[in-house]
Amino acid sequence: MSSEKTVLKDYVPMLVMAGIILVVQITALLLAAPMNANDMQAFEDPDSTSNAIYYIFLILIFTGFLLLAIKKNMEWIIQLVILLAVGATMYYVFYALLSIADISIMTNNVVSGLVAAILTILLYKFPEWYIIDIVGLIIGAGASAIFGISLSILPVIVLLALLAIYDAISVYKTKHMIDLAEGVMDLHLPILFVIPKHLRYSFIEDSLNKEEGKEKEAFFMGLGDAIMPTILVVSANVFLTQKTTIASIGFISYPALGAMIGTVVGFIALSILVMKGKPQAGLPFLNSGVILGYLGGVLLSGAPLY
């Protein structure tokens, strides 16, 4: 009986991670409409597959920049760049939300900028796990919504397929993604979600008091594992509904709902292998799951493939 309780307890953080992904996806779906209304698209032509190639190219450049900065012991540059990106993304999120209310553009700019600045400063001064997770949810949903309204179905699928291949190579072959994660983790930035094993856990103290062989008191999930599949969820909910009437549950279309379910199934498969002590690249599982789930939703709804 005690061993069964231990096993269940070990899987609780995984369930929390799955819940975080779903919260990011639902929030991104809610943000899509106001962001679309405010012309926050990242690309002019959402149907161009070259956008996916461009996105991958930017990721490669940014990854190289981060690795070089870590090698040169210039972590402050990484911290500055990421904090600026975090602040900007939160500004867009709050601007989109406040645009729903009947307030002036100037007031919206001031309030959105102020809230984003306060949260960014709080993250810098007090990077505890719950602050990191809250900010991670905001920017995860915001980034997913922006790219989801900017890329139609086919470019997103191409992007997710390429990212899954890249993630597998960077984790299993070159292993530079592991080096990057280890180098950036101590900067306490919202590039990952922190799920503690107990509420007394302190991410700040854990980073300061490192001991070899010490059992980890928290689980970690990369922010990209929540963002990338969510891009397809948002895209499916935005672009297919523009072409035809699609069956839905509330504001979520069947293809988007199928993509959400597929993400969770992919995450469960990933979790089973991780809990067996086998480190895995996340995107091959998550991206495969979201694509297959999307296809299942398309078949159920009778919607066009893209």
Side-chain angles (χ1 to χ4, degrees), residues 157 163-164 240 269 299:
I157 290 177
L163 283 174
L240 288 184
L299 290 175

Side-chain angles (χ1 to χ4, degrees), residues 39-53:
D39 297 322
M40 292 184 179
Q41 296 86 354
F43 303 108
E44 289 186 10
D45 182 8
D47 296 320
S48 175
T49 308
S50 62
N51 290 333
I53 309 298

Side-chain angles (χ1 to χ4, degrees), residues 127-144:
E128 197 47 89
W129 64 268
Y130 42 86
I131 303 295
I132 291 174
D133 286 354
I134 290 170
V135 173
L137 285 170
I138 295 171
I139 63 174
S144 301

Side-chain angles (χ1 to χ4, degrees), residues 70-284:
I70 291 171
K71 186 177 180 181
K72 299 291 185 180
N73 293 318
M74 299 177 70
E75 285 83 358
W76 67 271
I77 294 181
I78 299 174
Q79 197 168 38
L80 177 63
V81 170
I82 293 181
L83 285 175
L84 288 173
V86 165
T89 304
M90 287 196 291
Y91 164 79
Y92 284 119
V93 170
F94 294 125
Y95 188 93
L97 290 174
L98 290 173
S99 67
I100 300 172
D102 188 19
I103 61 175
S104 68
I105 294 176
M106 181 177 292
T107 301
N108 195 341
N109 275 320
V110 172
V111 174
S112 300
L114 186 60
V115 175
I118 289 171
L119 285 174
T120 303
I121 293 170
L122 181 62
L123 176 68
Y124 174 70
K125 292 292 187 180
F126 187 69
E128 197 47 89
W129 64 268
Y130 42 86
I131 303 295
I132 291 174
D133 286 354
I134 290 170
V135 173
L137 285 170
I138 295 171
I139 63 174
S144 301
I146 290 172
F147 286 105
I149 65 175
S150 304
L151 296 169
S152 62
I153 307 298
L154 187 57
V156 174
I157 290 177
V158 171
L159 172 65
L160 295 186
L162 291 174
L163 283 174
I165 294 170
Y166 169 69
D167 196 32
I169 293 173
S170 64
V171 172
Y172 301 131
K173 294 294 184 183
T174 65
K175 303 187 186 299
H176 69 266
M177 195 59 71
I178 297 174
D179 296 334
L180 180 61
E182 291 175 350
V184 176
M185 187 173 292
D186 290 342
L187 299 179
H188 304 135
L189 297 169
I191 59 168
L192 45 77
F193 290 105
V194 184
I195 296 86
K197 294 182 180 179
H198 54 80
L199 295 179
R200 301 183 308 278
Y201 172 77
S202 170
F203 185 52
I204 298 173
E205 291 180 8
D206 190 33
S207 299
L208 293 174
N209 302 314
K210 289 187 175 181
E211 297 176 19
E212 276 193 40
K214 180 184 176 182
E215 183 182 353
K216 289 185 178 180
E217 296 184 70
F219 290 88
F220 302 94
M221 177 177 69
L223 191 63
D225 290 345
I227 292 176
M228 296 311 168
T230 304
I231 294 175
L232 180 56
V233 173
V234 175
S235 182
N237 212 50
V238 170
F239 289 96
L240 288 184
T241 53
Q242 291 177 354
K243 296 180 179 180
T244 183
T245 302
I246 302 175
S248 62
I249 297 178
F251 66 95
I252 305 176
S253 68
Y254 276 16
L257 183 61
M260 293 173 71
I261 294 171
T263 305
V264 174
V265 172
F267 182 79
I268 291 172
L270 172 65
S271 299
I272 291 172
L273 290 176
V274 170
M275 291 304 291
K276 289 181 178 179
K278 302 175 181 177
Q280 302 290 331
L283 292 185

